[in-house]
Amino acid sequence: MLKHKNSVKAYIRAKELIPGGVNSPVRAFLSVNQTPPFIAKGKGAYITDIDKNRYLDFVQSWGPLIFGHADKDIEKAVIKTVKKGLSFGAPTKIETKLAKAICALFPTVEKIRFVSSGTEAVMSAIRLSRGYTKKDDIVKFRGCYHGHSDSLLVQAGSGAATFGAPSSPGVPKELAKHTLLADYNDIKSVEECFKASDNIACVLIEPIAGNMGLVPADMKFLKDLRDLCDKHKSLLIFDEVMSGFRASLKGAQGFSEVEPDIVTFGKVIGGGMPVGAFGGKKEIMNELSPEGPIYQAGTLSGNPVAMSAGLASLTKILKDKNLYARLGHLSDLLMRGFKEGAEKEGIALQVCARGSMFGFFFNEKEVKNFDDALKSDTKLFASFHKGMLERGFYFACSQFETGFICDAMNEDMIQKTIRAANEVFKEIKK
Ligand SMILES: *Cc1c(COP(=O)(O)O)cnc(C)c1O
């Protein structure tokens, strides 16, 4: 058994001062009934906790670290910038450099603005869509996560096209009712929303959903969304905070021809520092203050240290023509290994991989939307998670999260992970 004495002690102390002992709820490991290891350091594909246990890390800070921990090139860029001052609240040239690198990849993104988190990026994109279209309602999909801003912490009652009810205390009903909910991969449910409201500013979607587990949207579905938005003069927003530079160089847009009106980014574009961004056609982006009337701002937005981490990460990505093929090969290998191992033990497992993202559901049927995902066996997942952690493999602590491959991983590490998983499948089958 791994020892967790120091982590348990640190967790108890943290809980006295920080709600739940963590600064973001999922980190508390509650859904797998464990206490979280406190991390001392990371190097490449591995993290080490304060009890000196070392884990192969498939979380990678929930996505940002495509090159693994403490990458030398990113580290060097950050330190160079740090020495010149941490923040000015004034423009620096590095913001334009990062903007140029991103805009060059996405035809939709002619202009971009940087913020400090994915939450902020999506929140601002929604305000922009409302200001631009002069409409108030938004459509989101059950099971998609877009950060914790008020309008987006909304869940459905029963039936399609329900006007949302708050999914957290503190979100006013009056606000939640402007968020309409539809079902992922189900165009009829979106049509219902447009029937229920003629005041829809935008349809917001993770084109490769990563926050109900990994569930990619069907190509045809995305195309139908585009047509519906055009027909009703609503904007289509792709939230690529997770999938951007992860699923492929161009995120979901590397798989689909569909062009959104606004794209949001985060995670990888910060290289491990707090960065988010939203971009779109000039005509829309120029509505932002100070060029236009729609207000959006941030004291630390475009922070030079964060920008230099992002730019170093992106530069490294762009230089490496085989990066996504390499990462994709490893996620495919891992998921095929998991599937075979589970089947050998008579465990039903649904697996999926998109570039460096992977996901697996303990589920009898293919998962196409949130309802399907919810039918997964979360108890079995919790046992699997515990068995893997015990063997030194760190996976996201919930059935409804995505896993990440980083470029510091290799085939040997993946084979070891598959062998460990096979042991665990044997252990947990009923
Ligand atoms: C992580 C995530 C967010 C929120 O980003 P934060 O930086 O955690 O605020 C928004 N949308 C998607 C798709 C995400 O995966």
Side-chain angles (χ1 to χ4, degrees):
M1 283 286 279
L2 297 185
K3 289 209 169 66
H4 294 289
K5 207 172 104 229
N6 293 336
S7 278
V8 170
K9 221 193 281 169
Y11 184 47
I12 291 168
R13 210 168 295 147
K15 277 204 287 192
E16 285 164 11
L17 296 167
I18 300 169
V22 290
N23 284 305
S24 197
V26 71
R27 295 178 198 169
F29 271 50
L30 293 182
S31 62
V32 287
N33 290 316
Q34 300 169 70
T35 56
F38 275 53
I39 307 305
K41 60 183 178 184
K43 183 73 208 151
Y46 293 92
I47 48 174
T48 306
D49 71 15
I50 59 174
D51 291 281
K52 297 202 161 61
N53 303 306
R54 197 171 80 128
Y55 310 93
L56 185 56
D57 178 18
F58 289 100
V59 177
Q60 293 295 328
S61 188
W62 303 95
L65 309 179
I66 198 160
F67 294 107
H69 296 276
D71 176 78
K72 277 282 167 249
D73 298 312
I74 298 173
E75 187 183 290
K76 211 160 58 188
V78 166
I79 289 171
K80 195 173 152 206
T81 310
V82 161
K83 289 188 167 163
K84 294 189 211 158
L86 294 181
S87 175
F88 309 106
T92 56
K93 275 160 67 177
I94 188 163
E95 295 158 73
T96 314
K97 276 191 196 158
L98 186 55
K100 189 176 167 200
I102 298 172
C103 290
L105 286 171
F106 300 91
T108 303
V109 184
E110 293 175 344
K111 283 193 176 181
I112 190 164
R113 182 165 274 176
F114 293 107
V115 292
S116 300
S117 69
T119 294
E120 236 188 305
V122 183
M123 187 180 87
S124 309
I126 286 175
R127 181 176 308 142
L128 178 59
S129 73
R130 283 172 163 160
Y132 178 79
T133 59
K134 303 193 169 55
K135 298 178 188 181
D136 292 333
D137 294 340
I138 63 175
V139 175
K140 88 172 272 287
F141 294 90
R142 293 187 185 84
C144 283
Y145 177 71
H146 305 285
H148 66 91
S149 72
D150 282 349
S151 303
L152 298 172
L153 282 185
V154 168
Q155 68 184 11
S158 57
T162 22
F163 287 86
S167 62
S168 162
V171 177
K173 276 197 215 71
E174 283 66 31
L175 205 67
K177 76 175 189 212
H178 287 292
T179 304
L180 284 78
L181 284 129
D183 286 316
Y184 205 72
N185 280 325
D186 176 359
I187 198 68
K188 285 225 170 60
S189 70
V190 187
E191 284 165 359
E192 292 296 321
C193 291
F194 279 104
K195 267 185 213 146
S197 165
D198 57 4
N199 194 26
I200 293 174
C202 67
V203 174
L204 172 63
I205 187 167
E206 286 180 80
I208 295 177
N211 288 290
M212 52 174 139
L214 182 60
V215 184
D218 297 332
M219 295 302 138
K220 169 86 166 62
F221 176 66
L222 291 180
K223 196 177 164 303
D224 290 345
L225 277 186
R226 177 71 275 173
D227 293 344
L228 263 185
C229 285
D230 290 343
K231 186 171 147 199
H232 294 276
K233 299 197 164 43
S234 305
L235 300 187
L236 178 60
I237 305 180
F238 276 6
D239 181 355
E240 298 233 47
V241 168
M242 185 190 290
S243 53
F245 303 96
R246 264 285 172 196
S248 79
L249 176 62
K250 299 185 188 186
Q253 294 163 78
F255 295 91
S256 149
E257 301 280 288
V258 175
E259 274 189 30
D261 298 295
I262 300 177
V263 189
T264 59
F265 300 99
K267 298 191 171 118
V268 169
I269 62 157
M273 296 289 285
V275 178
F278 60 107
K281 293 271 189 236
K282 280 181 195 157
E283 189 201 335
I284 299 173
M285 293 302 286
N286 287 347
E287 290 296 304
L288 279 177
S289 184
E291 211 152 316
I294 302 170
Y295 194 70
Q296 186 279 323
T299 301
L300 292 172
S301 289
N303 171 270
V305 183
M307 292 289 103
S308 65
L311 185 63
S313 177
L314 213 58
T315 306
K316 204 167 158 149
I317 287 172
L318 291 168
K319 252 198 241 157
D320 189 344
K321 292 281 172 276
N322 293 319
L323 175 66
Y324 289 95
R326 239 173 18 245
L327 296 169
H329 170 67
L330 295 182
S331 10
D332 284 340
L333 193 66
L334 183 68
M335 285 302 93
R336 250 184 293 132
F338 273 25
K339 176 107 186 152
E340 280 167 21
E343 269 171 5
K344 226 181 283 161
E345 303 303 330
I347 295 171
L349 194 75
Q350 304 300 322
V351 300
C352 178
R354 280 293 179 285
S356 63
M357 302 163 74
F358 67 84
F360 51 96
F361 291 102
F362 288 91
N363 199 314
E364 301 282 340
K365 288 209 194 91
E366 192 191 2
V367 174
K368 301 290 281 178
N369 60 36
F370 192 43
D371 280 346
D372 295 344
L374 288 177
K375 289 182 187 122
S376 305
D377 188 337
T378 53
K379 283 216 181 82
L380 206 55
F381 174 84
S383 310
F384 176 79
H385 183 273
K386 191 170 188 170
M388 291 306 279
L389 193 74
E390 186 58 33
R391 286 166 176 80
F393 300 88
Y394 189 89
F395 281 89
C397 50
S398 155
Q399 170 70 102
F400 307 110
E401 299 285 353
T402 292
F404 300 100
I405 299 289
C406 74
D407 198 37
M409 291 178 184
N410 58 35
E411 265 195 35
D412 183 48
M413 295 175 192
I414 300 298
Q415 296 296 2
K416 284 195 175 104
T417 312
I418 293 171
R419 282 199 292 277
N422 284 353
E423 280 177 32
V424 175
F425 289 137
K426 198 165 280 164
E427 204 173 271
I428 63 177
K429 77 171 168 191
K430 283 162 211 146

